[in-house]
PDB file of all heavy atoms in Angstrom:
ATOM      1  N   GLU K   1     -12.409  18.995 -62.994  1.00  0.00           N
ATOM      2  CA  GLU K   1     -12.863  17.645 -63.059  1.00  0.00           C
ATOM      3  C   GLU K   1     -14.354  17.600 -62.755  1.00  0.00           C
ATOM      4  O   GLU K   1     -14.861  18.427 -62.019  1.00  0.00           O
ATOM      5  CB  GLU K   1     -12.112  16.724 -62.018  1.00  0.00           C
ATOM      6  CG  GLU K   1     -11.969  15.304 -62.404  1.00  0.00           C
ATOM      7  CD  GLU K   1     -10.916  14.627 -61.577  1.00  0.00           C
ATOM      8  OE1 GLU K   1     -10.756  14.974 -60.407  1.00  0.00           O
ATOM      9  OE2 GLU K   1     -10.209  13.722 -62.114  1.00  0.00           O
ATOM     10  N   TYR K   2     -15.112  16.604 -63.326  1.00  0.00           N
ATOM     11  CA  TYR K   2     -16.548  16.531 -63.234  1.00  0.00           C
ATOM     12  C   TYR K   2     -16.907  15.143 -62.683  1.00  0.00           C
ATOM     13  O   TYR K   2     -16.385  14.139 -63.028  1.00  0.00           O
ATOM     14  CB  TYR K   2     -17.164  16.696 -64.628  1.00  0.00           C
ATOM     15  CG  TYR K   2     -16.800  17.973 -65.296  1.00  0.00           C
ATOM     16  CD1 TYR K   2     -15.582  18.082 -66.051  1.00  0.00           C
ATOM     17  CD2 TYR K   2     -17.546  19.146 -65.153  1.00  0.00           C
ATOM     18  CE1 TYR K   2     -15.178  19.319 -66.613  1.00  0.00           C
ATOM     19  CE2 TYR K   2     -17.186  20.352 -65.709  1.00  0.00           C
ATOM     20  CZ  TYR K   2     -15.973  20.419 -66.457  1.00  0.00           C
ATOM     21  OH  TYR K   2     -15.563  21.612 -67.027  1.00  0.00           O
ATOM     22  N   PHE K   3     -17.885  15.199 -61.722  1.00  0.00           N
ATOM     23  CA  PHE K   3     -18.254  14.011 -60.901  1.00  0.00           C
ATOM     24  C   PHE K   3     -19.758  13.716 -61.085  1.00  0.00           C
ATOM     25  O   PHE K   3     -20.563  14.638 -61.046  1.00  0.00           O
ATOM     26  CB  PHE K   3     -17.937  14.240 -59.470  1.00  0.00           C
ATOM     27  CG  PHE K   3     -16.510  14.523 -59.215  1.00  0.00           C
ATOM     28  CD1 PHE K   3     -16.001  15.800 -59.247  1.00  0.00           C
ATOM     29  CD2 PHE K   3     -15.638  13.535 -58.776  1.00  0.00           C
ATOM     30  CE1 PHE K   3     -14.680  16.133 -58.998  1.00  0.00           C
ATOM     31  CE2 PHE K   3     -14.332  13.844 -58.510  1.00  0.00           C
ATOM     32  CZ  PHE K   3     -13.803  15.114 -58.663  1.00  0.00           C
ATOM     33  N   PHE K   4     -20.087  12.443 -61.122  1.00  0.00           N
ATOM     34  CA  PHE K   4     -21.477  11.992 -61.178  1.00  0.00           C
ATOM     35  C   PHE K   4     -21.515  10.770 -60.202  1.00  0.00           C
ATOM     36  O   PHE K   4     -20.844   9.796 -60.454  1.00  0.00           O
ATOM     37  CB  PHE K   4     -21.960  11.628 -62.575  1.00  0.00           C
ATOM     38  CG  PHE K   4     -21.833  12.773 -63.503  1.00  0.00           C
ATOM     39  CD1 PHE K   4     -20.658  12.887 -64.285  1.00  0.00           C
ATOM     40  CD2 PHE K   4     -22.814  13.690 -63.686  1.00  0.00           C
ATOM     41  CE1 PHE K   4     -20.500  13.963 -65.187  1.00  0.00           C
ATOM     42  CE2 PHE K   4     -22.689  14.763 -64.572  1.00  0.00           C
ATOM     43  CZ  PHE K   4     -21.519  14.861 -65.327  1.00  0.00           C
ATOM     44  N   ASN K   5     -22.322  10.836 -59.147  1.00  0.00           N
ATOM     45  CA  ASN K   5     -22.371   9.782 -58.109  1.00  0.00           C
ATOM     46  C   ASN K   5     -23.757   9.372 -57.768  1.00  0.00           C
ATOM     47  O   ASN K   5     -24.647  10.232 -57.703  1.00  0.00           O
ATOM     48  CB  ASN K   5     -21.669  10.321 -56.862  1.00  0.00           C
ATOM     49  CG  ASN K   5     -20.397  11.060 -57.114  1.00  0.00           C
ATOM     50  OD1 ASN K   5     -20.359  12.271 -57.205  1.00  0.00           O
ATOM     51  ND2 ASN K   5     -19.305  10.350 -57.200  1.00  0.00           N
ATOM     52  N   ILE K   6     -23.988   8.092 -57.561  1.00  0.00           N
ATOM     53  CA  ILE K   6     -25.234   7.558 -57.092  1.00  0.00           C
ATOM     54  C   ILE K   6     -24.890   6.476 -56.063  1.00  0.00           C
ATOM     55  O   ILE K   6     -23.809   5.878 -56.101  1.00  0.00           O
ATOM     56  CB  ILE K   6     -26.142   6.988 -58.144  1.00  0.00           C
ATOM     57  CG1 ILE K   6     -25.401   5.916 -58.981  1.00  0.00           C
ATOM     58  CG2 ILE K   6     -26.682   8.079 -59.087  1.00  0.00           C
ATOM     59  CD1 ILE K   6     -26.281   5.245 -60.024  1.00  0.00           C
ATOM     60  N   GLY K   7     -25.779   6.261 -55.136  1.00  0.00           N
ATOM     61  CA  GLY K   7     -25.536   5.166 -54.153  1.00  0.00           C
ATOM     62  C   GLY K   7     -26.640   5.038 -53.117  1.00  0.00           C
ATOM     63  O   GLY K   7     -27.548   5.891 -52.995  1.00  0.00           O
ATOM     64  N   TYR K   8     -26.625   3.926 -52.482  1.00  0.00           N
ATOM     65  CA  TYR K   8     -27.521   3.547 -51.373  1.00  0.00           C
ATOM     66  C   TYR K   8     -26.697   3.563 -50.059  1.00  0.00           C
ATOM     67  O   TYR K   8     -25.515   3.184 -50.056  1.00  0.00           O
ATOM     68  CB  TYR K   8     -28.138   2.183 -51.584  1.00  0.00           C
ATOM     69  CG  TYR K   8     -29.422   2.155 -52.414  1.00  0.00           C
ATOM     70  CD1 TYR K   8     -29.265   2.214 -53.844  1.00  0.00           C
ATOM     71  CD2 TYR K   8     -30.649   2.045 -51.861  1.00  0.00           C
ATOM     72  CE1 TYR K   8     -30.418   2.217 -54.628  1.00  0.00           C
ATOM     73  CE2 TYR K   8     -31.801   2.049 -52.676  1.00  0.00           C
ATOM     74  CZ  TYR K   8     -31.697   2.084 -54.018  1.00  0.00           C
ATOM     75  OH  TYR K   8     -32.783   2.102 -54.825  1.00  0.00           O
ATOM     76  N   GLY K   9     -27.354   3.913 -48.994  1.00  0.00           N
ATOM     77  CA  GLY K   9     -26.781   3.847 -47.629  1.00  0.00           C
ATOM     78  C   GLY K   9     -27.890   3.470 -46.660  1.00  0.00           C
ATOM     79  O   GLY K   9     -28.999   3.124 -47.017  1.00  0.00           O
ATOM     80  N   TYR K  10     -27.579   3.637 -45.344  1.00  0.00           N
ATOM     81  CA  TYR K  10     -28.574   3.303 -44.364  1.00  0.00           C
ATOM     82  C   TYR K  10     -28.190   3.882 -43.016  1.00  0.00           C
ATOM     83  O   TYR K  10     -27.018   4.312 -42.805  1.00  0.00           O
ATOM     84  CB  TYR K  10     -28.737   1.788 -44.252  1.00  0.00           C
ATOM     85  CG  TYR K  10     -27.666   1.120 -43.422  1.00  0.00           C
ATOM     86  CD1 TYR K  10     -27.827   0.776 -42.084  1.00  0.00           C
ATOM     87  CD2 TYR K  10     -26.440   0.773 -44.042  1.00  0.00           C
ATOM     88  CE1 TYR K  10     -26.856   0.180 -41.347  1.00  0.00           C
ATOM     89  CE2 TYR K  10     -25.422   0.156 -43.268  1.00  0.00           C
ATOM     90  CZ  TYR K  10     -25.642  -0.140 -41.977  1.00  0.00           C
ATOM     91  OH  TYR K  10     -24.669  -0.751 -41.221  1.00  0.00           O
ATOM     92  N   HIS K  11     -29.155   3.938 -42.118  1.00  0.00           N
ATOM     93  CA  HIS K  11     -28.868   4.127 -40.680  1.00  0.00           C
ATOM     94  C   HIS K  11     -29.613   3.104 -39.935  1.00  0.00           C
ATOM     95  O   HIS K  11     -30.807   2.818 -40.211  1.00  0.00           O
ATOM     96  CB  HIS K  11     -29.110   5.547 -40.216  1.00  0.00           C
ATOM     97  CG  HIS K  11     -30.569   5.936 -40.061  1.00  0.00           C
ATOM     98  ND1 HIS K  11     -31.209   6.774 -40.901  1.00  0.00           N
ATOM     99  CD2 HIS K  11     -31.520   5.479 -39.193  1.00  0.00           C
ATOM    100  CE1 HIS K  11     -32.511   6.896 -40.550  1.00  0.00           C
ATOM    101  NE2 HIS K  11     -32.697   6.123 -39.536  1.00  0.00           N
ATOM    102  N   SER K  12     -29.058   2.588 -38.900  1.00  0.00           N
ATOM    103  CA  SER K  12     -29.668   1.612 -38.005  1.00  0.00           C
ATOM    104  C   SER K  12     -30.651   2.352 -37.082  1.00  0.00           C
ATOM    105  O   SER K  12     -30.523   3.513 -36.812  1.00  0.00           O
ATOM    106  CB  SER K  12     -28.679   0.830 -37.173  1.00  0.00           C
ATOM    107  OG  SER K  12     -27.918   1.693 -36.360  1.00  0.00           O
ATOM    108  N   ASN K  13     -31.656   1.628 -36.622  1.00  0.00           N
ATOM    109  CA  ASN K  13     -32.593   2.158 -35.656  1.00  0.00           C
ATOM    110  C   ASN K  13     -32.364   1.614 -34.255  1.00  0.00           C
ATOM    111  O   ASN K  13     -31.695   0.590 -34.114  1.00  0.00           O
ATOM    112  CB  ASN K  13     -34.071   1.813 -36.076  1.00  0.00           C
ATOM    113  CG  ASN K  13     -34.517   2.604 -37.246  1.00  0.00           C
ATOM    114  OD1 ASN K  13     -34.268   3.829 -37.408  1.00  0.00           O
ATOM    115  ND2 ASN K  13     -35.258   1.939 -38.163  1.00  0.00           N
ATOM    116  N   ASP K  14     -32.795   2.343 -33.261  1.00  0.00           N
ATOM    117  CA  ASP K  14     -32.571   1.902 -31.855  1.00  0.00           C
ATOM    118  C   ASP K  14     -33.180   0.499 -31.679  1.00  0.00           C
ATOM    119  O   ASP K  14     -34.290   0.206 -32.004  1.00  0.00           O
ATOM    120  CB  ASP K  14     -33.320   2.936 -30.934  1.00  0.00           C
ATOM    121  CG  ASP K  14     -32.868   2.760 -29.462  1.00  0.00           C
ATOM    122  OD1 ASP K  14     -33.141   1.703 -28.907  1.00  0.00           O
ATOM    123  OD2 ASP K  14     -32.301   3.693 -28.948  1.00  0.00           O
ATOM    124  N   ALA K  15     -32.327  -0.364 -31.104  1.00  0.00           N
ATOM    125  CA  ALA K  15     -32.750  -1.759 -30.915  1.00  0.00           C
ATOM    126  C   ALA K  15     -33.996  -1.859 -30.066  1.00  0.00           C
ATOM    127  O   ALA K  15     -34.821  -2.778 -30.303  1.00  0.00           O
ATOM    128  CB  ALA K  15     -31.616  -2.550 -30.268  1.00  0.00           C
ATOM    129  N   ARG K  16     -34.245  -0.999 -29.160  1.00  0.00           N
ATOM    130  CA  ARG K  16     -35.469  -1.048 -28.306  1.00  0.00           C
ATOM    131  C   ARG K  16     -36.714  -0.920 -29.107  1.00  0.00           C
ATOM    132  O   ARG K  16     -37.716  -1.572 -28.869  1.00  0.00           O
ATOM    133  CB  ARG K  16     -35.395  -0.019 -27.210  1.00  0.00           C
ATOM    134  CG  ARG K  16     -34.326  -0.258 -26.173  1.00  0.00           C
ATOM    135  CD  ARG K  16     -34.182   0.965 -25.240  1.00  0.00           C
ATOM    136  NE  ARG K  16     -33.582   2.106 -25.948  1.00  0.00           N
ATOM    137  CZ  ARG K  16     -33.276   3.250 -25.301  1.00  0.00           C
ATOM    138  NH1 ARG K  16     -33.530   3.432 -23.999  1.00  0.00           N
ATOM    139  NH2 ARG K  16     -32.658   4.248 -26.000  1.00  0.00           N
ATOM    140  N   GLY K  17     -36.681  -0.104 -30.176  1.00  0.00           N
ATOM    141  CA  GLY K  17     -37.836   0.113 -31.017  1.00  0.00           C
ATOM    142  C   GLY K  17     -38.120  -1.084 -31.869  1.00  0.00           C
ATOM    143  O   GLY K  17     -39.276  -1.282 -32.313  1.00  0.00           O
ATOM    144  N   THR K  18     -37.098  -1.926 -32.151  1.00  0.00           N
ATOM    145  CA  THR K  18     -37.285  -3.030 -33.059  1.00  0.00           C
ATOM    146  C   THR K  18     -38.011  -4.219 -32.402  1.00  0.00           C
ATOM    147  O   THR K  18     -38.529  -5.102 -33.054  1.00  0.00           O
ATOM    148  CB  THR K  18     -35.902  -3.565 -33.628  1.00  0.00           C
ATOM    149  OG1 THR K  18     -35.161  -4.101 -32.553  1.00  0.00           O
ATOM    150  CG2 THR K  18     -35.170  -2.423 -34.263  1.00  0.00           C
ATOM    151  N   THR K  19     -38.029  -4.237 -31.059  1.00  0.00           N
ATOM    152  CA  THR K  19     -38.740  -5.314 -30.357  1.00  0.00           C
ATOM    153  C   THR K  19     -39.949  -4.792 -29.582  1.00  0.00           C
ATOM    154  O   THR K  19     -40.683  -5.530 -28.938  1.00  0.00           O
ATOM    155  CB  THR K  19     -37.821  -6.067 -29.409  1.00  0.00           C
ATOM    156  OG1 THR K  19     -37.263  -5.101 -28.459  1.00  0.00           O
ATOM    157  CG2 THR K  19     -36.713  -6.690 -30.188  1.00  0.00           C
ATOM    158  N   LEU K  20     -40.157  -3.452 -29.563  1.00  0.00           N
ATOM    159  CA  LEU K  20     -41.201  -2.821 -28.760  1.00  0.00           C
ATOM    160  C   LEU K  20     -42.547  -3.187 -29.316  1.00  0.00           C
ATOM    161  O   LEU K  20     -42.877  -2.950 -30.475  1.00  0.00           O
ATOM    162  CB  LEU K  20     -40.995  -1.313 -28.755  1.00  0.00           C
ATOM    163  CG  LEU K  20     -41.848  -0.455 -27.833  1.00  0.00           C
ATOM    164  CD1 LEU K  20     -41.315  -0.651 -26.379  1.00  0.00           C
ATOM    165  CD2 LEU K  20     -41.752   0.999 -28.187  1.00  0.00           C
ATOM    166  N   GLN K  21     -43.472  -3.740 -28.426  1.00  0.00           N
ATOM    167  CA  GLN K  21     -44.805  -4.071 -28.812  1.00  0.00           C
ATOM    168  C   GLN K  21     -45.873  -3.383 -27.888  1.00  0.00           C
ATOM    169  O   GLN K  21     -47.013  -3.173 -28.302  1.00  0.00           O
ATOM    170  CB  GLN K  21     -45.042  -5.570 -28.784  1.00  0.00           C
ATOM    171  CG  GLN K  21     -44.173  -6.310 -29.786  1.00  0.00           C
ATOM    172  CD  GLN K  21     -44.498  -7.812 -29.841  1.00  0.00           C
ATOM    173  OE1 GLN K  21     -45.512  -8.178 -30.477  1.00  0.00           O
ATOM    174  NE2 GLN K  21     -43.708  -8.620 -29.133  1.00  0.00           N
ATOM    175  N   ARG K  22     -45.457  -3.090 -26.677  1.00  0.00           N
ATOM    176  CA  ARG K  22     -46.370  -2.502 -25.684  1.00  0.00           C
ATOM    177  C   ARG K  22     -45.742  -1.217 -25.077  1.00  0.00           C
ATOM    178  O   ARG K  22     -44.539  -1.217 -24.821  1.00  0.00           O
ATOM    179  CB  ARG K  22     -46.719  -3.510 -24.609  1.00  0.00           C
ATOM    180  CG  ARG K  22     -47.397  -4.746 -25.150  1.00  0.00           C
ATOM    181  CD  ARG K  22     -47.644  -5.774 -24.065  1.00  0.00           C
ATOM    182  NE  ARG K  22     -48.640  -5.341 -23.060  1.00  0.00           N
ATOM    183  CZ  ARG K  22     -49.104  -6.105 -22.104  1.00  0.00           C
ATOM    184  NH1 ARG K  22     -48.661  -7.331 -21.940  1.00  0.00           N
ATOM    185  NH2 ARG K  22     -49.997  -5.592 -21.243  1.00  0.00           N
ATOM    186  N   ASP K  23     -46.547  -0.222 -24.836  1.00  0.00           N
ATOM    187  CA  ASP K  23     -46.108   1.003 -24.284  1.00  0.00           C
ATOM    188  C   ASP K  23     -45.488   0.733 -22.877  1.00  0.00           C
ATOM    189  O   ASP K  23     -46.228   0.216 -22.007  1.00  0.00           O
ATOM    190  CB  ASP K  23     -47.229   1.995 -24.177  1.00  0.00           C
ATOM    191  CG  ASP K  23     -46.800   3.431 -23.834  1.00  0.00           C
ATOM    192  OD1 ASP K  23     -45.923   3.593 -22.971  1.00  0.00           O
ATOM    193  OD2 ASP K  23     -47.330   4.350 -24.427  1.00  0.00           O
ATOM    194  N   PRO K  24     -44.258   1.118 -22.634  1.00  0.00           N
ATOM    195  CA  PRO K  24     -43.674   0.819 -21.367  1.00  0.00           C
ATOM    196  C   PRO K  24     -44.262   1.596 -20.168  1.00  0.00           C
ATOM    197  O   PRO K  24     -44.089   1.183 -19.028  1.00  0.00           O
ATOM    198  CB  PRO K  24     -42.182   1.182 -21.568  1.00  0.00           C
ATOM    199  CG  PRO K  24     -42.174   2.163 -22.665  1.00  0.00           C
ATOM    200  CD  PRO K  24     -43.286   1.787 -23.569  1.00  0.00           C
ATOM    201  N   THR K  25     -44.983   2.664 -20.439  1.00  0.00           N
ATOM    202  CA  THR K  25     -45.539   3.438 -19.362  1.00  0.00           C
ATOM    203  C   THR K  25     -46.925   2.940 -18.836  1.00  0.00           C
ATOM    204  O   THR K  25     -47.250   3.145 -17.715  1.00  0.00           O
ATOM    205  CB  THR K  25     -45.693   4.882 -19.804  1.00  0.00           C
ATOM    206  OG1 THR K  25     -46.633   4.949 -20.860  1.00  0.00           O
ATOM    207  CG2 THR K  25     -44.372   5.522 -20.228  1.00  0.00           C
ATOM    208  N   ASN K  26     -47.650   2.253 -19.760  1.00  0.00           N
ATOM    209  CA  ASN K  26     -48.979   1.787 -19.338  1.00  0.00           C
ATOM    210  C   ASN K  26     -49.324   0.335 -19.764  1.00  0.00           C
ATOM    211  O   ASN K  26     -50.392  -0.179 -19.432  1.00  0.00           O
ATOM    212  CB  ASN K  26     -50.060   2.721 -19.831  1.00  0.00           C
ATOM    213  CG  ASN K  26     -50.019   2.964 -21.310  1.00  0.00           C
ATOM    214  OD1 ASN K  26     -49.642   2.073 -22.074  1.00  0.00           O
ATOM    215  ND2 ASN K  26     -50.361   4.204 -21.719  1.00  0.00           N
ATOM    216  N   GLY K  27     -48.431  -0.259 -20.587  1.00  0.00           N
ATOM    217  CA  GLY K  27     -48.686  -1.608 -21.059  1.00  0.00           C
ATOM    218  C   GLY K  27     -49.571  -1.721 -22.207  1.00  0.00           C
ATOM    219  O   GLY K  27     -49.896  -2.899 -22.715  1.00  0.00           O
ATOM    220  N   ASP K  28     -50.109  -0.639 -22.718  1.00  0.00           N
ATOM    221  CA  ASP K  28     -51.048  -0.738 -23.922  1.00  0.00           C
ATOM    222  C   ASP K  28     -50.251  -1.226 -25.112  1.00  0.00           C
ATOM    223  O   ASP K  28     -49.108  -0.908 -25.339  1.00  0.00           O
ATOM    224  CB  ASP K  28     -51.605   0.639 -24.236  1.00  0.00           C
ATOM    225  CG  ASP K  28     -52.602   1.162 -23.188  1.00  0.00           C
ATOM    226  OD1 ASP K  28     -53.010   0.292 -22.326  1.00  0.00           O
ATOM    227  OD2 ASP K  28     -52.917   2.341 -23.197  1.00  0.00           O
ATOM    228  N   PHE K  29     -51.005  -2.034 -25.941  1.00  0.00           N
ATOM    229  CA  PHE K  29     -50.434  -2.533 -27.177  1.00  0.00           C
ATOM    230  C   PHE K  29     -50.319  -1.390 -28.185  1.00  0.00           C
ATOM    231  O   PHE K  29     -51.208  -0.599 -28.372  1.00  0.00           O
ATOM    232  CB  PHE K  29     -51.222  -3.674 -27.751  1.00  0.00           C
ATOM    233  CG  PHE K  29     -51.052  -4.998 -27.049  1.00  0.00           C
ATOM    234  CD1 PHE K  29     -51.859  -5.337 -25.969  1.00  0.00           C
ATOM    235  CD2 PHE K  29     -50.038  -5.847 -27.381  1.00  0.00           C
ATOM    236  CE1 PHE K  29     -51.700  -6.483 -25.273  1.00  0.00           C
ATOM    237  CE2 PHE K  29     -49.830  -7.063 -26.687  1.00  0.00           C
ATOM    238  CZ  PHE K  29     -50.689  -7.382 -25.623  1.00  0.00           C
ATOM    239  N   LEU K  30     -49.123  -1.306 -28.883  1.00  0.00           N
ATOM    240  CA  LEU K  30     -48.930  -0.284 -29.889  1.00  0.00           C
ATOM    241  C   LEU K  30     -49.536  -0.733 -31.211  1.00  0.00           C
ATOM    242  O   LEU K  30     -49.669  -1.898 -31.517  1.00  0.00           O
ATOM    243  CB  LEU K  30     -47.428   0.014 -30.035  1.00  0.00           C
ATOM    244  CG  LEU K  30     -46.668   0.399 -28.830  1.00  0.00           C
ATOM    245  CD1 LEU K  30     -45.199   0.469 -29.081  1.00  0.00           C
ATOM    246  CD2 LEU K  30     -47.217   1.743 -28.274  1.00  0.00           C
ATOM    247  N   ASP K  31     -49.895   0.273 -32.061  1.00  0.00           N
ATOM    248  CA  ASP K  31     -50.405  -0.079 -33.363  1.00  0.00           C
ATOM    249  C   ASP K  31     -49.279  -0.565 -34.316  1.00  0.00           C
ATOM    250  O   ASP K  31     -48.075  -0.373 -33.930  1.00  0.00           O
ATOM    251  CB  ASP K  31     -51.149   1.102 -34.008  1.00  0.00           C
ATOM    252  CG  ASP K  31     -50.318   2.344 -34.236  1.00  0.00           C
ATOM    253  OD1 ASP K  31     -49.123   2.163 -34.674  1.00  0.00           O
ATOM    254  OD2 ASP K  31     -50.787   3.434 -33.902  1.00  0.00           O
ATOM    255  N   SER K  32     -49.621  -1.089 -35.428  1.00  0.00           N
ATOM    256  CA  SER K  32     -48.662  -1.694 -36.282  1.00  0.00           C
ATOM    257  C   SER K  32     -47.567  -0.735 -36.832  1.00  0.00           C
ATOM    258  O   SER K  32     -46.519  -1.139 -37.263  1.00  0.00           O
ATOM    259  CB  SER K  32     -49.382  -2.422 -37.459  1.00  0.00           C
ATOM    260  OG  SER K  32     -50.107  -1.495 -38.201  1.00  0.00           O
ATOM    261  N   THR K  33     -47.950   0.533 -36.893  1.00  0.00           N
ATOM    262  CA  THR K  33     -47.016   1.530 -37.479  1.00  0.00           C
ATOM    263  C   THR K  33     -45.801   1.827 -36.537  1.00  0.00           C
ATOM    264  O   THR K  33     -44.770   2.244 -36.984  1.00  0.00           O
ATOM    265  CB  THR K  33     -47.730   2.823 -37.840  1.00  0.00           C
ATOM    266  OG1 THR K  33     -48.279   3.381 -36.657  1.00  0.00           O
ATOM    267  CG2 THR K  33     -48.793   2.557 -38.869  1.00  0.00           C
ATOM    268  N   SER K  34     -46.034   1.689 -35.246  1.00  0.00           N
ATOM    269  CA  SER K  34     -44.956   2.010 -34.261  1.00  0.00           C
ATOM    270  C   SER K  34     -44.433   0.831 -33.518  1.00  0.00           C
ATOM    271  O   SER K  34     -43.488   0.985 -32.755  1.00  0.00           O
ATOM    272  CB  SER K  34     -45.494   3.052 -33.278  1.00  0.00           C
ATOM    273  OG  SER K  34     -46.660   2.601 -32.641  1.00  0.00           O
ATOM    274  N   ALA K  35     -45.022  -0.348 -33.742  1.00  0.00           N
ATOM    275  CA  ALA K  35     -44.520  -1.561 -33.012  1.00  0.00           C
ATOM    276  C   ALA K  35     -43.515  -2.281 -33.864  1.00  0.00           C
ATOM    277  O   ALA K  35     -43.614  -2.330 -35.115  1.00  0.00           O
ATOM    278  CB  ALA K  35     -45.647  -2.533 -32.683  1.00  0.00           C
ATOM    279  N   ARG K  36     -42.428  -2.767 -33.271  1.00  0.00           N
ATOM    280  CA  ARG K  36     -41.433  -3.535 -33.946  1.00  0.00           C
ATOM    281  C   ARG K  36     -40.966  -2.909 -35.238  1.00  0.00           C
ATOM    282  O   ARG K  36     -41.104  -3.508 -36.345  1.00  0.00           O
ATOM    283  CB  ARG K  36     -41.941  -4.969 -34.183  1.00  0.00           C
ATOM    284  CG  ARG K  36     -42.129  -5.807 -32.888  1.00  0.00           C
ATOM    285  CD  ARG K  36     -42.666  -7.128 -33.086  1.00  0.00           C
ATOM    286  NE  ARG K  36     -41.825  -7.951 -34.004  1.00  0.00           N
ATOM    287  CZ  ARG K  36     -40.803  -8.667 -33.583  1.00  0.00           C
ATOM    288  NH1 ARG K  36     -40.449  -8.674 -32.317  1.00  0.00           N
ATOM    289  NH2 ARG K  36     -40.110  -9.405 -34.438  1.00  0.00           N
ATOM    290  N   ILE K  37     -40.385  -1.709 -35.173  1.00  0.00           N
ATOM    291  CA  ILE K  37     -39.922  -1.058 -36.381  1.00  0.00           C
ATOM    292  C   ILE K  37     -38.760  -1.818 -36.919  1.00  0.00           C
ATOM    293  O   ILE K  37     -38.096  -2.623 -36.281  1.00  0.00           O
ATOM    294  CB  ILE K  37     -39.523   0.407 -36.051  1.00  0.00           C
ATOM    295  CG1 ILE K  37     -38.335   0.506 -35.087  1.00  0.00           C
ATOM    296  CG2 ILE K  37     -40.708   1.194 -35.483  1.00  0.00           C
ATOM    297  CD1 ILE K  37     -37.784   1.857 -34.882  1.00  0.00           C
TER     298      ILE K  37
END
């Protein structure tokens, strides 16, 4: 038998990273690439 498959999926990210805006160790603001993923 022969199979052909395509599809989309996902993985969730850690909830802490989705709201993170300031470094918890020093309070510095994070840049846009790592804040609120």
Side-chain angles (χ1 to χ4, degrees):
E1 207 164 36
Y2 303 86
F3 302 84
F4 303 91
N5 315 95
I6 55 175
Y8 275 77
Y10 78 98
H11 73 249
S12 61
N13 287 321
D14 193 297
R16 291 170 290 183
T18 67
T19 60
L20 190 71
Q21 299 185 79
R22 299 176 66 176
D23 191 318
T25 63
N26 54 32
D28 291 347
F29 284 91
L30 302 174
D31 61 42
S32 59
T33 60
S34 56
R36 291 176 62 83
I37 65 173

